[in-house]
């Protein structure tokens, strides 16, 4: 499959065409495309363009939903390829999108890559309350917490979540890693997170660093 064809994957996600996105991904993988290359160079840039179009009101919420559905359909073929082959887990991670925020595509990618990197991942989903994170730490022997937020208005919930870990006495048991499009390194240090990752691959590198610390 040549580059021209791969651009059809970009177009399929951008146009919210789940059927084509799914079919192209399967075909590209069959022809030997690298799973992460498809994600990083075609699917994520398409979602970025969707965001830009939404911002200038070319796209509205229905188009966002369709694009998200196309991205998820394509990721279904990629996810199994990212899974690690049954070695002893490097660490146990609880991951979720914070309260009030429903964006879960980036969070799912981070979860898949962490799994691929040998971590055991407890995925708490989207719109996760601080209490749920606390409960996971208390009952599941978690050593790393990953928080995702895609909205400026839900970044505050990251702070509230870290505060809840402190108030319930579990903050010292875990490292907290945060990420998502509006999040920055500076914000991470402001709210007392242990680290910030700008991508799913950065998340794995940081998670590895923490579990060897
Ligand atoms: C798809 C989408 C949606 C879908 C989400 C579907 C789903 N199941 O996820 C739907 C339609 C539901 C949606 C709804 C809304 N959305 Co929206 N959405 C998007 C869009 C286009 C793409 C997001 C995405 O999936 N990107 C692809 C993934 C792979 O990237 P990512 O999430 O950034 O994740 C990567 C990194 O950030 C990082 N990462 C992510 N999490 C973590 C965590 C850790 C620990 C680490 C280390 C790294 C990390 O790794 C990932 C992979 O590399 C963005 C635009 C954009 N470009 O971000 C707008 C965007 C985020 N949405 C926006 C808005 C405004 C909304 C709505 C309020 C719209 C409305 N009026 O209803 C609602 C809010 C609903 C809610 N309560 O959450 C705005 C936010 C503006 C802001 N700064 O606050 C954006 C930026 C669009 C825009 N340009 O205006 N949205």
């Amino acid at each position: 499959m040549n580059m021209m064809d791969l651009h059809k994957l970009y177009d399929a996600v951008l146009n919210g065409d789940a059927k084509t996105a799914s079919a192209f991904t399967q075909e590209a993988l069959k022809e030997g495309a690298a799973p992460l290359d498809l994600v990083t160079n075609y699917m994520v840039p398409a979602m970025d363009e969707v965001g830009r179009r939404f911002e200038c009101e070319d796209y509205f919420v229905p188009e966002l939903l369709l694009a998200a559905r196309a991205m998820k359909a394509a990721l279904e073929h990629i996810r199994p390829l990212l899974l690690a082959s049954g070695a002893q887990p490097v660490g146990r991670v609880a991951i979720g999108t914070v309260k009030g925020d429903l964006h879960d595509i980036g969070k799912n990618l981070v979860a898949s890559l962490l799994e691929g990197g040998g971590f055991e991942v407890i995925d708490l989903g989207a719109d996760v309350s601080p209490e749920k994170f606390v409960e996971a730490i208390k009952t599941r022997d978690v050593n790393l917490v990953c928080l995702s937020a895609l909205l400026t208005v839900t970044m505050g919930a990251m702070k509230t979540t870290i505060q809840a870990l402190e108030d319930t006495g579990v903050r010292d048991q875990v490292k907290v890693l945060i990420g998502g499009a509006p999040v920055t390194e500076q914000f991470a240090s402001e709210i007392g997170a242990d680290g910030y990752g700008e991508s799913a691959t950065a998340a794995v590198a940081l998670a590895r660093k923490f579990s060897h610390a």
Side-chain angles (χ1 to χ4, degrees):
M1 186 171 284
N2 62 35
M3 284 284 290
M4 280 292 280
D5 287 336
L6 281 173
H7 278 286
K8 287 184 188 161
L9 174 59
Y10 174 93
D11 288 338
V13 173
L14 182 60
N15 298 326
D17 180 349
K19 222 168 132 188
T20 307
S22 170
F24 265 105
T25 303
Q26 264 177 304
E27 178 141 2
L29 291 172
K30 212 161 56 194
E31 290 183 20
L36 263 188
D37 175 49
L38 298 181
V39 175
T40 317
N41 295 325
Y42 300 94
M43 290 151 62
V44 170
M47 290 308 272
D48 285 343
E49 179 59 20
V50 170
R52 268 192 295 276
R53 291 187 183 190
F54 179 75
E55 234 166 309
C56 59
E57 299 188 0
D58 275 346
Y59 270 17
F60 298 94
V61 172
E63 284 90 353
L64 290 196
L65 275 170
L66 286 173
R69 208 174 64 181
M71 174 99 179
K72 285 192 170 183
L75 281 175
E76 256 171 53
H77 305 293
I78 292 192
R79 195 176 142 87
L81 301 175
L82 299 176
L83 298 187
S85 47
Q88 193 67 11
V90 199
R92 190 177 285 169
V93 185
I95 187 167
T97 306
V98 295
K99 196 174 165 73
D101 200 321
L102 300 174
H103 296 85
D104 66 356
I105 295 173
K107 183 268 295 167
N108 293 346
L109 258 182
V110 172
S112 297
L113 283 204
L114 283 171
E115 270 174 2
F119 288 86
E120 189 181 332
V121 177
I122 300 163
D123 189 344
L124 301 173
D127 190 18
V128 180
S129 66
E131 296 74 28
K132 269 202 163 167
F133 282 104
V134 170
E135 191 193 315
I137 298 168
K138 283 188 171 164
T139 60
R140 309 286 297 274
D141 195 22
V142 164
N143 40 37
L144 177 66
V145 172
C146 287
L147 307 177
S148 180
L150 265 288
L151 298 170
T152 335
V153 287
T154 54
M155 285 168 71
M158 292 180 142
K159 186 175 177 185
T160 321
T161 303
I162 293 178
Q163 190 61 51
L165 303 194
E166 271 164 18
D167 294 346
T168 52
V170 297
R171 178 67 184 90
D172 292 342
Q173 295 171 32
V174 292
K175 296 281 187 193
V176 179
L177 191 54
I178 68 170
V183 178
T184 61
E185 184 97 58
Q186 194 196 333
F187 181 70
S189 63
E190 269 170 34
I191 65 168
D194 298 295
Y196 155 76
E198 60 171 6
S199 67
T201 31
V204 177
L206 278 166
R208 285 227 171 93
K209 200 179 97 188
F210 287 146
S211 49
H212 294 143

